[in-house]
Amino acid sequence: MIRHTSRTPRLRRLGPLAGAGVATLLLTSCASGSSGSSAETQEFEDFDAVLEAAEGQTVDLWMYGGDEQGNAYVDEHLAPAAEELGVTLRRVPVTDTADALNRVLDERQAGREDGSVDLVWVNGPTFSTGQQAEAWRCGWTEMLPNMALTHPQDPLLTDDFGTPVDGCESPWHKAQFTYFYNSETVEEPPSTLPELLDWAGENPGRFTYPGPPDFTGSVFLREVMISQAGGAEEIPLQYSEENFEEFAPAAIQTLEELAPSLWREGSTYPRDEQALNELFTDGEVDYGMTYGPARLTELLDSGALPESTRVLPLEEGTVGNASFLAIPVNAADTAGAMAVANLALSPEQQALKANPDVWGQFTVLDLTRLDSADQTQFEELPSSPVVPSYEELSENAHSELDFDWVPALDEAWRESVGRG
Amino acid sequence: MSLSRSEVSRRRRPRWRVRTVLPLLLGLALLIWIMLPLVPVLLWSAAGAWRAPDVLPSSWTADAALSLAEPEVLMAGVRSLGLGLSVAVTATVLGGLAAFGLRGPTPGGSPASTRLIGFVMLTPLAVPPFALVMGSNVLLLGARAPSFLGVLIVLTVTALPYTTYMFVTALASYEDRFEAVARTLGASPAQVVLKVRLGLLMPAIARAGFLAFLVGWSDYITTVLIGGGQFITLPLLLGSAASSTGGEQLTAALSLAMIVPPVVLLILLARRGARGRTSS
Amino acid sequence: MLTAAPAVILVLLVLGAALIMVGLQSLGLMPVFGEPQLSLNAWADSTSLLESAGVSVYIATLSTVLSAGLGLLIAVYALTAGRGGRLVAAVSAATIPIPHLVASGAIGLLLADAGFLARLFGMPEGFPQLVATQWWTAVILEFAWKESAFVALVILGSISRSAMALSETASTLGASAWQRFCHVILPLARLPLVVSGLVVFVYTLGSYESPWLLGPLAPEPLSVRAVRLFGSTQLSARPEAMATALTSVVIAVLAIAVGLLLVRRSGDRS
């Protein structure tokens, strides 16, 4: 098409534009071939060198933007603290963390080494995919002085959905999958997941869950599979087709049989956790679920969830994980990003963030490794009227299955239960 | 249509009833159809708490409206405005030129090639914004186009079919005689273009520019993917508010913030249009 | 013809390059990671692709028919009902600036099971389910709401002057309202109606926000499938996303070709 246009001399003026088109075509076709070799551009002697290089940098932190408390924490606490290090922290809100990874992948496909994503709040599937694509910078977290305050063998911090962390992301906070119910309509709440499913069967239309591949719905699906298998220890963490064939069908069948008793007779499912919360608030269903129990305090406070909302502890425990900050290999402001990641791990910031009035996110630090002044900061935190302490919530907790389980189960659900 | 038919069948009845009541009812039904979806948005923007089955919010607050005055939101508004206006200018100029090119039998142009160009100008409609962005993103990144320019280029292409066909339909009923008359009255070619042509096409220019403005003003997916999240416009704020539990109030307030400025612009354009018509 | 060159070149350049990229990615020739390898895997799941295409065409067809009918009604009312007509035209035009994202949210607040409309009627037992139904009711209504205003705007913009004048002439010659509609307004409106209907069809075919927010989880239209696969955390899903997007493009191009034939015909007739 470009040769076409050069026929008429009048169009010369547009030459540069056409030229740019050709150039980019060539550029990208070359770039796509070379994207495998990631440039380990900047290496640092020690953390002081990092801090020195960080000064004056602007760090773009890409994170899920739908959590107002989280946004406020970053804007009002983390960013000012970063400013003291000479680093400007800019929060880039996204609706889905995968958007950030896609941006990184696109930039690398285009051969850009001065990427616009410096830091991503990430875990699980997005981290694993990024690892597969060699999109994350690795081996940098041991340089962070504050990493010494975490427990080196903490399983939540060494593996992320079965993917070894390998210093490719720095821990930020812990989370526990949590169910909640409406105490006004549910008089005798169930105390195990099978009892919850029985309750759903006996109370038609009053229970549902977000449809996988939504993040929360996907967790629920795995929890049902683990429960059907008789507990987390029964299922090998590692994914294989044999393992899948052994454990997945029971879960799918249970949910298929349950479907007619669900909201809308299981003909459709809420799109995501937020859609489920809307049904819950409107009194259409009696249960909700979330991987971010920290937010419940604020959601009840603001009236977004009814006051009669109560956390539902399950005897067999629920799944827990940690979320992290990762740096893309092509980040333009790597040093600044490392400085912020270290700052986010500091006892001051971790304690501040754990305050339910600020954000209420559970710390990743091992409190026994802190000095007594820092320990007091954590001891003096106010407790939430709704959310139990992390120790209580994470009782009998199990860890996430391998990441490969996630898409396989989601797809099986979509092909059967999801078709309504 | 069925209403008009019943109008015919009832013609024997006293005319005033059919003439006044039916159009009134029809008008009312149309107004309800047009306005109803906006009612819950308006209510939510000022609602404190509002749970089913309450018909109206149980408490009211101006918090959400006040949060629109925050610098973050205002800056996003300025960026949206800038993007909308830029798309409006480029897409209107290019679309207008394209429509003129499509119109006349020009030397060397066959009807077939005119038709082909007409088809080409419609093709951006066939490419969903998502596909367009996914395909062009890598190219724009590779070309190191600044993100604003990248968004502008893609949105201009998206808006071009609308502007072009606004002009094509306007030109279809355009009377060349006015220009001929102006020429016989001694107007220079420049005067013909500036006074007669632009004057007569003013409504089409306004409409095309407005539609193109909306493409830039309301875009989400292009801005987020090509802008790389650093070019934060109102739809981006809206998207993140809409994806949070209990964000109804802010979402509704941002929705209104997105609706009001273009409506004001529309009213201004309509006023100017009306004035132009009466003075001519 | 020459004045069209800048626009045509821009469109060809951007669209052409984008579509080549999409095509290459759908064939596995531009993987986000790893070695390029020609593969038709992304196109292999043709049942699911066809199903999605069916859903998309269903939504687009019904939305177009409703929008065209309602848009024509609004336009005719605006032209014939004096001051009331001008009010309806103005209010209708005022909804044009509302983005589909906002409109979908608004329709959701209105039509959900416990939405404003249900609350207005006191939440009756038999209130119809409109959001997330297998008939895509709320999705189609959202499109009809937004796009009927667009159709009306296009019709009014292109014919209001001539229709007013001719209508007045016909009226003085003793034509009834129905005759004026049939013999004056409709023939004039045919071209803008076909053009705007075509625009609505291809727009709704590729639109994402409304079916995503207001539709059921499965089956999915092409747009929702493409975006879901693109955002998927599996690298292998990207070619499939691109194949889905291309399918949507092909259907829309066919629709435009058919539409242009119609435009030519209605142009010849008038």
Side-chain angles (χ1 to χ4, degrees), chain B:
Chain B
M1 274 233 263
S2 61
L3 275 172
S4 310
R5 212 172 286 143
S6 64
E7 202 176 328
V8 173
S9 67
R10 285 190 212 165
R11 276 179 72 200
R12 285 195 199 143
R13 289 196 199 168
R15 289 200 90 167
W16 64 269
R17 288 183 79 181
V18 176
R19 273 207 175 164
T20 54
V21 176
L22 264 185
L24 213 66
L25 281 182
L26 178 59
L28 209 65
L30 286 176
L31 279 181
I32 290 179
W33 158 258
I34 296 167
M35 310 274 272
L36 192 60
L38 293 175
V39 177
V41 178
L42 280 171
L43 291 173
W44 262 119
S45 69
W50 190 12
R51 297 246 171 76
D54 297 351
V55 175
L56 289 175
S58 51
S59 64
W60 304 89
T61 162
D63 286 357
L66 287 176
S67 67
L68 292 184
E70 280 171 18
E72 187 193 16
V73 180
L74 292 178
M75 275 312 293
V78 170
R79 282 188 213 105
S80 285
L81 204 64
L83 183 61
L85 290 176
S86 312
V87 176
V89 170
T90 50
T92 308
V93 170
L94 292 178
L97 290 175
F100 268 104
L102 276 170
R103 184 171 178 244
T106 27
S110 66
S113 61
T114 309
R115 224 174 288 142
L116 184 67
I117 290 178
F119 183 74
V120 167
M121 290 311 296
L122 272 180
T123 46
L125 289 173
V127 184
F130 163 75
L132 184 55
V133 169
M134 284 332 307
S136 56
N137 196 15
V138 174
L139 296 177
L140 290 166
L141 283 170
R144 298 179 173 266
S147 55
F148 178 82
L149 186 67
V151 177
L152 179 61
I153 290 175
V154 171
L155 290 182
T156 300
V157 171
T158 310
L160 266 175
Y162 299 96
T163 55
T164 308
Y165 281 85
M166 274 292 157
F167 283 110
V168 166
T169 46
L171 285 173
S173 55
Y174 180 80
E175 294 284 351
D176 282 310
R177 272 174 300 174
F178 286 113
E179 289 188 23
V181 167
R183 267 191 295 272
T184 46
L185 290 175
S188 69
Q191 277 177 318
V192 169
V193 168
L194 279 179
K195 299 236 164 109
V196 181
R197 195 178 283 183
L198 279 185
L200 284 173
L201 287 177
M202 210 49 204
I205 293 173
R207 260 191 295 277
F210 186 64
L211 279 184
F213 171 81
L214 291 181
V215 169
W217 173 258
S218 61
D219 172 78
Y220 176 78
I221 194 106
T222 311
T223 318
V224 95
L225 286 177
I226 293 183
Q230 282 141 323
F231 190 69
I232 295 178
T233 56
L234 283 180
L236 261 63
L237 291 184
L238 182 70
S240 79
S243 64
S244 66
T245 297
E248 283 93 348
Q249 286 89 342
L250 185 62
T251 311
L254 282 170
S255 299
L256 290 181
M258 289 218 55
I259 295 173
V260 171
V263 169
V264 170
L265 192 65
L266 186 71
I267 292 170
L268 288 179
L269 285 175
R271 280 243 182 109
R272 280 201 63 178
R275 212 181 303 145
R277 227 170 286 147
T278 47
S279 67
S280 66

Side-chain angles (χ1 to χ4, degrees), chain A residues 167-226:
Chain A
C168 306
E169 51 179 1
S170 129
W172 204 19
H173 41 252
K174 289 182 179 175
Q176 194 68 36
F177 197 61
T178 307
Y179 301 87
F180 51 90
Y181 67 101
N182 190 333
S183 61
E184 231 164 58
T185 44
V186 182
E187 277 161 16
E188 281 178 51
S191 56
T192 65
L193 187 52
E195 277 179 40
L196 175 59
L197 298 183
D198 288 344
W199 187 97
E202 288 155 15
N203 297 272
R206 305 299 301 170
F207 181 84
T208 191
Y209 51 93
D214 167 69
F215 185 74
T216 308
S218 176
V219 178
F220 178 74
L221 176 56
R222 295 196 293 280
E223 290 292 87
V224 169
M225 181 176 80
I226 288 171

Side-chain angles (χ1 to χ4, degrees), chain A residues 275 277-284 303-304 306, chain B residues 36 39-41 43-45 47-60 248-249, chain C residues 105-128 130:
Chain A
N277 284 350
E278 255 162 51
L279 294 178
F280 181 79
T281 306
D282 284 339
E284 290 194 69
Chain B
L36 192 60
V39 177
V41 178
L43 291 173
W44 262 119
S45 69
W50 190 12
R51 297 246 171 76
D54 297 351
V55 175
L56 289 175
S58 51
S59 64
W60 304 89
E248 283 93 348
Q249 286 89 342
Chain C
I107 295 278
L109 289 177
L110 183 72
L111 298 181
D113 287 359
F116 183 62
L117 208 59
R119 294 182 196 193
L120 267 186
F121 290 111
M123 310 270 287
E125 274 295 301
F127 189 80
L130 299 166

Side-chain angles (χ1 to χ4, degrees), chain A residues 1-2 5 11 14 17 25 98 102 106 109 125 129 132-134 211 264 268-269 271 282 284 407 414 418-419, chain C residues 5 9 12 21 30-31 33 51 113-114 119 129 131-132 212-213 216-218 220 228 230-231 233-235 238:
Chain A
M1 65 208 161
I2 289 143
T5 58
L11 300 175
L14 293 158
L17 194 64
L25 264 172
N102 278 326
D106 283 342
Q109 209 173 14
T129 306
Q132 277 175 45
E134 295 171 18
R264 285 277 180 92
T268 189
Y269 291 80
R271 196 179 57 247
D282 284 339
E284 290 194 69
R414 277 178 47 76
R419 307 209 133 245
Chain C
I9 290 167
L12 282 179
M21 290 293 129
M30 270 187 70
F33 179 74
E51 184 190 56
D113 287 359
R119 294 182 196 193
Q129 293 178 347
V131 172
W212 176 69
L213 269 170
L217 278 187
E220 339 161 84
R228 175 178 62 82
F230 179 74
T233 40
Q234 277 181 297
L235 293 174
R238 221 181 234 221

Side-chain angles (χ1 to χ4, degrees), chain A residues 26-145:
Chain A
L26 293 173
L27 217 160
T28 45
S29 51
C30 302
S32 67
S34 66
S35 61
S37 62
S38 59
E40 306 281 311
T41 40
Q42 272 175 297
E43 289 312 329
F44 303 97
E45 286 268 318
D46 52 18
F47 196 68
D48 285 333
V50 172
L51 282 179
E52 203 176 306
E55 240 183 275
Q57 288 192 340
T58 297
V59 173
D60 288 300
L61 166 60
W62 288 51
M63 60 184 267
Y64 169 67
D67 182 341
E68 273 177 54
Q69 269 189 308
N71 296 344
Y73 162 73
V74 171
D75 292 347
E76 289 159 26
H77 300 290
L78 193 57
E83 203 63 55
E84 282 171 27
L85 300 174
V87 177
T88 308
L89 181 61
R90 217 161 35 175
R91 182 173 55 80
V92 179
V94 289
T95 49
D96 189 339
T97 307
D99 293 351
L101 176 61
N102 278 326
R103 174 73 181 187
V104 174
L105 296 178
D106 283 342
E107 283 178 348
R108 296 191 59 221
Q109 209 173 14
R112 294 282 291 264
E113 292 302 331
D114 53 345
S116 58
V117 186
D118 297 314
L119 205 54
V120 188
W121 178 23
V122 71
N123 82 346
T126 317
F127 175 68
S128 302
T129 306
Q131 283 295 74
Q132 277 175 45
E134 295 171 18
W136 308 125
R137 167 177 280 267
C138 285
W140 55 275
T141 57
E142 57 260 37
M143 274 174 83
L144 307 183

